[in-house]
Amino acid sequence: MAKKKHISILIRILLWITVAITAIYLVSAFIGYADPRKCGFLSIAGLAYPITLLITLALTVALLIIHKKYALIPAAALIITIPQILAFSPIHYNRFWSDRQEGDFTIMTYNSFGLPGADNKANRTITEILKYDADFVCMQEAPKIDQFKHRIGEEQLNLLEKRYPYMGDSNAAMCFLSKHPVNTIRTHKDKKYFAFCVYETQVFGQQAYIFNIHLESIGLTASDKELYMDLTSVNKEKTLRGVRSRLMTKLSNAFKNRAGQAEMIRGIIDSLQTVNKEARIFVCGDFNDTPYSYSYLTIKKGFNDAYADAGIGPTFTYNANRLYFHIDHILYEDDDIEAVSTRRGNSRSSDHYPLVSTFRKKENLSNN
């Protein structure tokens, strides 16, 4: 009798563990639909989505062996979060390897980290840009074009100017490189380094607006980064007090600030759509937020994500200080075009990797 009671208690504990893990997973998957200005620290849960997803998958497999009935709980959560799972790890194998065709349009977004110095007169950031041969390049944290040109060798500069006859910059530390004429119709920058530019150009022979954005970052100081590195080191004693008082507060404040910034971007998008319903709109840049965040979902409303549509597997675009997040995005309207390939670059010249997407008119799609 005592043994049966003991087993009954263990089964009950297993149930509560299953419910708790599933609940945490669901919060991390759906927290982006809640305004961070109202939910405080809870908004940070979205950053943990990849971890909670892996834990939930492992739990489901374990329960199928231990207690199949309980496995239905996390399995149901996984089913209702299929959109989040596919945003985290798309499975477009055929599209990832799709060859670029004549008439396609390719756009790159790249936080260049100020365009670090040259190596033997060959700047690695410029090498990466030339490698992908995008039609349009949006750069964040970029120097002025004049400074830009002084930081690369003559050979690269000649190649760059030949390929991109249209270059522009702004006081918002943004610049663009384009194969086709461009007008900058709006620029914004504030003291918190929220910045954006809106460019007007032609894509597939039709008027298009391209948003180049940089939402506010966490703003970690050197000491904050040192604290985080200590916390993630296996060789040093860890303390949660510093995280709670410094990192968590900064994360929460940044989420709240980006919420308003995203709403501002969304308002401009809506106004452009109202004035010119036929114009194509692309939004790309450093969102400093993942696909499960309020700011991302606010801007994305009505748009498609090029990586979710044409990428493969999980990825991260930020790569410094043991912080690995997918925070650079390319969004587009899919009325008559479609992303046929989205790839992440691999150059470590910046603390971000570039993201490159190729688009094709639907009427020209074959078996991709």
Side-chain angles (χ1 to χ4, degrees), residues 139-158:
M139 298 176 69
Q140 307 87 41
E141 294 190 34
K144 291 279 192 176
I145 293 296
D146 288 343
Q147 298 172 345
F148 187 109
K149 292 179 178 180
H150 287 298
R151 297 186 188 184
I152 61 179
E154 185 177 349
E155 183 178 350
Q156 277 193 325
L157 178 59
N158 291 337

Side-chain angles (χ1 to χ4, degrees), residues 16-197:
W16 284 112
I17 290 173
T18 300
V19 170
I21 291 175
T22 303
I24 292 170
Y25 169 70
L26 289 172
V27 169
S28 69
F30 289 106
I31 193 61
Y33 292 97
D35 190 330
R37 292 163 295 194
K38 298 178 181 178
C39 61
F41 286 117
L42 199 58
S43 59
I44 301 171
L47 293 176
Y49 176 77
I51 297 172
T52 62
L53 171 60
L54 293 176
I55 292 173
T56 305
L57 286 169
L59 175 65
T60 304
V61 172
L63 288 174
L64 286 172
I65 300 171
I66 299 171
H67 201 295
K68 291 184 179 179
K69 184 178 178 181
Y70 288 175
L72 293 173
I73 299 172
L78 292 170
I79 290 171
I80 65 176
T81 57
I82 286 176
Q84 285 86 346
I85 294 172
L86 292 179
F88 169 69
S89 182
I91 51 176
H92 305 292
Y93 294 95
N94 55 337
R95 293 197 170 189
F96 180 78
W97 299 110
S98 175
D99 292 328
R100 188 170 172 181
Q101 297 180 6
E102 185 178 354
D104 288 350
F105 171 72
T106 300
I107 189 169
M108 169 187 277
T109 181
Y110 201 171
N111 183 319
S112 66
F113 196 51
L115 202 70
D119 295 325
N120 298 321
K121 296 186 178 180
N123 186 284
R124 289 184 296 164
T125 300
I126 301 304
T127 298
E128 189 80 346
I129 290 172
L130 292 170
K131 172 184 173 181
Y132 288 98
D133 191 29
D135 295 282
F136 198 96
V137 180
C138 286
M139 298 176 69
Q140 307 87 41
E141 294 190 34
K144 291 279 192 176
I145 293 296
D146 288 343
Q147 298 172 345
F148 187 109
K149 292 179 178 180
H150 287 298
R151 297 186 188 184
I152 61 179
E154 185 177 349
E155 183 178 350
Q156 277 193 325
L157 178 59
N158 291 337
L159 286 171
L160 199 69
E161 290 182 328
K162 183 177 180 181
R163 186 170 298 177
Y164 298 108
Y166 305 96
M167 301 182 183
D169 55 35
S170 72
N171 292 325
M174 303 279 198
C175 76
F176 71 83
L177 310 174
S178 177
K179 295 182 179 181
H180 307 286
V182 180
N183 292 318
T184 301
I185 64 171
R186 186 157 182 173
T187 299
H188 174 87
K189 180 184 178 181
D190 66 17
K191 293 181 180 179
K192 294 182 178 179
Y193 200 45
F194 159 49
F196 67 85
C197 292

